[in-house]
Amino acid sequence: IDWEHYSPERFQQAAAEGSAVVLGFTAEWCLNCKALRQGVLRNARLVARMAQPDVVPMKVDLTGSNPAGKAMLRQLGHLTIPLLVVYGPDQRELFRSDFYTADQVLEVLNAL
């Protein structure tokens, strides 16, 4: 997946363009994040769907200092990662999970 780096401005821009946004909260030290990346986020069908022009995948990397990313995590009411959140083109939250399958994410994205 060709992840863009999260910033509040880029999130707003994607929404203004009418794109769905997939926020993937992760960190290099997070073993569960690595397991999801390996077992779910490398699924060929999911990779292909996330490459479509109506979806903007954004990585929120909390490995180091990332005040904007940490603020977004808090805004969502979460303290832990991994976390994946899918927003529709209208910025409405469509999906949120800390443990998910490729089929669950594809179902949400294909319903757009």
Side-chain angles (χ1 to χ4, degrees), residues 1-3 33-52 57 84 100-107 109-110:
I1 297 172
D2 188 17
W3 296 96
C33 299
K34 289 180 181 188
L36 284 167
R37 185 169 49 235
Q38 189 72 12
V40 175
L41 298 174
R42 290 194 177 170
N43 175 285
R45 292 180 302 128
L46 183 56
V47 170
R49 182 63 183 97
M50 296 264 264
Q52 296 300 308
L84 189 87
Y100 47 89
T101 66
D103 286 339
Q104 287 175 310
V105 179
L106 279 166
E107 182 179 331
L109 294 176
N110 289 336

